[in-house]
Amino acid sequence: MKKDLFDLTGQVGVVIGATGVLGGAISQALAAAGASVAVLGRNTQHGQARVAAIREQGGTADFFPADALDRDSLRIAKEKIIQQWRTPTILVNAAGGNDPKVTVTGDLPFEKIPTDDWRTSFDLNLTAGAFLPCQEIGSAMKDAGQGSIINIASIAAHVPLSRVVAYAAAKSALLNLTQFLAREWAPYGVRVNSITPGFFPGEQNRRLLFNENGAPTERGGAILNHTPMKRFGRPDELAGAAVFLASPAASSFVTGMDLRVDGGFLAQTL
Ligand SMILES: NC(=O)c1ccc[n+]([C@@H]2O[C@H](COP(=O)([O-])OP(=O)(O)OC[C@H]3O[C@@H](n4cnc5c(N)ncnc54)[C@H](OP(=O)(O)O)[C@@H]3O)[C@@H](O)[C@H]2O)c1
């Protein structure tokens, strides 16, 4: 067996959405494994806080402001990262989510879903969530002949969860794109995989999962009932999956795969 299977020393990881909960936890995991980490997102305050947390634990990180819907801003961030370190070898696409005001359609019948809301969800979860970052940053990895791309999918990509139809459809397309790119870029040394997180309480879904008194909402309770482990995930529980997929030593023959970290949610039927 190879030594140091999970050592990322010398790697440069770009985590888009590292300003958020799951991307933030993944960026800390990559840094703890030895990678230099570029924290990307729009929110400078959150980005700087994440960089400070990584440096506090002895890691290397910097914040590069970027809007993943804006190709130029991704290109500028990429050029700065290359100048500061080198061509990225890891790209984590964690920008995405549900805006309760827009993409959670609730009990709205399908035929009433506003086209703009549908587009907003696809823009965020597919275009910013993978398409543009893979074109701008993934292609540099392709040119350099090595890299690992990790797209963050969702349970909703596998089964059409109620209330979030546009999000589910966009995340489902993300899985398809992951496999497409895995095939197209395998000859260039770039592996493309995804992680499907189960339910991890964060800012964007807290109100969906918990009442103000901290007890689970009806939906939160239904999720727990359907989860064999009977609990929600903790962001740090994505660390192992992310480092495994990022590491060329640990997952050199793994591409086009989706790794579920969901407490068994998708294995549960009756
Ligand atoms: N939490 C869960 O239970 C769960 C479950 C399954 C999948 N996921 C997925 O995991 C990912 C992270 O979710 P999270 O729970 O950590 O949510 P979060 O804390 O809201 O993080 C989402 C991040 O996306 C970034 N983002 C949004 N639009 C962007 C843009 N145009 N350009 C750059 N960054 C953008 C935001 O950063 P800025 O505001 O700084 O731009 C934010 O930090 C999402 O793809 C989500 O769908 C989450």
Side-chain angles (χ1 to χ4, degrees):
M1 193 166 86
K2 290 178 200 160
K3 274 199 216 157
D4 302 329
L5 275 181
F6 301 101
D7 183 6
L8 299 180
T9 304
Q11 307 274 337
V12 171
V14 174
V15 184
I16 305 184
T19 47
V21 176
L22 300 192
I26 290 172
S27 67
Q28 287 202 221
L30 298 183
S36 300
V37 173
V39 167
L40 264 66
R42 297 163 304 177
N43 188 312
T44 303
Q45 203 186 344
H46 290 172
Q48 297 291 11
R50 187 59 66 182
V51 167
I54 289 173
R55 289 181 182 163
E56 233 167 73
Q57 65 178 24
T60 302
D62 229 322
F63 175 60
F64 300 86
D67 180 343
L69 271 173
D70 175 358
R71 185 184 292 283
D72 284 346
S73 96
L74 287 170
R75 183 181 46 73
I76 290 164
K78 172 184 70 182
E79 285 165 1
K80 286 186 185 158
I81 293 163
I82 293 173
Q83 207 174 27
Q84 183 157 328
W85 293 314
R86 69 181 177 104
T87 302
T89 55
I90 302 162
L91 168 63
V92 179
N93 283 313
N98 261 313
D99 178 345
K101 292 188 292 297
V102 180
T103 55
V104 180
T105 44
D107 298 325
L108 208 59
F110 173 75
E111 64 275 19
K112 301 281 186 211
I113 294 169
T115 315
D116 283 350
D117 292 1
W118 178 266
R119 289 198 172 120
T120 300
S121 196
F122 271 75
D123 278 352
L124 172 57
N125 290 294
L126 191 58
T127 309
F131 177 72
L132 288 174
C134 288
Q135 282 203 329
E136 279 305 316
I137 297 169
S139 60
M141 294 158 78
K142 176 189 169 197
D143 292 344
Q146 63 166 319
S148 168
I149 297 176
I150 303 169
N151 294 324
I152 305 301
S154 163
I155 295 273
H158 300 265
V159 286
L161 291 184
S162 61
R163 301 170 63 92
V164 290
V165 58
Y167 174 75
K171 288 288 191 182
S172 199
L174 179 68
L175 284 187
N176 192 282
L177 177 63
T178 301
Q179 290 181 305
F180 173 83
L181 267 185
R183 206 171 61 178
E184 180 152 322
W185 285 357
Y188 301 93
V190 178
R191 299 179 297 109
V192 190
N193 295 288
S194 58
I195 293 175
T196 285
F199 291 86
F200 289 71
E203 288 320 310
Q204 52 113 359
N205 58 7
R206 194 170 302 281
R207 273 187 299 146
L208 283 176
L209 301 177
F210 298 105
N211 292 312
E212 273 175 17
N213 64 9
T217 57
E218 193 183 339
R219 189 172 174 87
I223 289 165
L224 289 173
N225 268 337
H226 189 91
T227 305
M229 289 192 182
K230 298 290 175 225
R231 66 174 178 85
F232 296 117
R234 295 188 315 271
D236 64 290
E237 290 182 299
L238 293 174
V243 173
F244 164 69
L245 290 175
S247 164
S251 58
S252 50
F253 200 48
V254 179
T255 198
M257 177 193 129
D258 181 62
L259 206 170
R260 299 172 180 177
V261 185
D262 69 350
F265 186 97
L266 283 167
Q268 178 87 314
T269 52
L270 286 176

